[in-house]
Amino acid sequence: MATQRALPQSKETLLQNYNKRLKDDIRSIMDNFTEIIKSAKIEDETQVSRATQAEQDHYEMHVRAANIVRAGESLMKLVSDLKQFLILNDFPSVNDAISLQNQQLRALQEECDKKLTSLRDEIAIDLYELEEEYYSSSQWDSTDLPLCEAYRRRDSWASPGGSSTHEEQQDADAAQAQETSQQLHHNGHSNAALEKP
């Protein structure tokens, strides 16, 4: 709570300092310009010679002109400080910018999600059609494995550290024996015919 109360006081003090700097610089410019105008007036003869008086007026004008330039530079610095103060303390504008950026990013996220969903659906449809075509082709045999099972076994065989277990080896041997017996049956030979002398 103390920091929340100190923060507005510091802002108020800073704004008062800016206001004081502004008034001082403007007063300096006005006073120096007025004195330059006064020194341009020709006065009557005095105890000081005209050449000395002219040199003194010339020097005074240079000093006062330098004071005017310094006050102008201070005003420009004040403008820069005010801009920085406004940028750093304009919280509503910063919050609006953050909210707008969040809305844009959410819209982009929703668009990407929609595209990914439609892409997933298209891939699923194409995969289903490919599987239907594969299973309904004339080369399909009832002893062949489904695609997912074939890929799984191929990956397990192709893995460098993976070795087929004894049961998998027996299944593969049984499938090979069944395929051999079916080929013999299709060729018109049977096991009984092979046993006859």
Side-chain angles (χ1 to χ4, degrees), residues 35-177:
E35 292 298 326
I36 288 175
I37 297 299
K38 285 181 181 179
S39 63
K41 183 176 68 172
I42 299 175
E43 297 181 354
D44 297 333
E45 288 290 337
T46 59
Q47 294 178 354
V48 182
S49 64
R50 285 187 178 275
T52 307
Q53 186 66 36
E55 191 66 28
Q56 180 182 352
D57 292 342
H58 183 263
Y59 179 72
E60 183 180 357
M61 285 184 182
H62 273 286
V63 172
R64 295 194 178 279
N67 289 337
I68 292 174
V69 171
R70 182 201 57 77
E73 291 177 349
S74 178
L75 285 175
M76 293 178 64
K77 180 69 168 56
L78 178 62
V79 171
S80 176
D81 291 343
L82 285 173
K83 288 180 180 179
Q84 185 176 0
F85 176 81
L86 181 63
I87 291 172
L88 294 178
N89 295 281
D90 190 11
F91 295 111
S93 175
V94 174
N95 291 335
D96 291 341
I98 292 174
S99 300
L100 179 61
Q101 187 175 10
N102 285 337
Q103 290 177 358
Q104 292 176 352
L105 292 176
R106 284 196 185 99
L108 181 62
Q109 180 184 2
E110 291 177 358
E111 183 180 357
C112 291
D113 289 342
K114 289 179 181 178
K115 289 182 179 180
L116 287 174
T117 304
S118 63
L119 184 63
R120 181 199 63 189
D121 294 340
E122 291 176 2
I123 290 175
I125 292 172
D126 293 340
L127 183 61
Y128 178 77
E129 291 177 355
L130 286 172
E131 287 182 349
E132 287 292 324
E133 181 67 25
Y134 177 76
Y135 291 142
S136 63
S137 64
S138 59
Q139 297 176 354
W140 167 254
D141 191 3
S142 60
T143 60
D144 289 341
L145 295 173
L147 281 178
C148 59
E149 184 68 20
Y151 280 120
R152 187 180 66 80
R153 290 194 179 185
R154 185 193 67 175
D155 291 340
S156 65
W157 292 338
S159 62
S163 59
S164 60
T165 62
H166 182 65
E167 294 179 356
E168 292 178 350
Q169 188 65 32
Q170 287 180 353
D171 292 341
D173 293 341
Q176 187 175 4

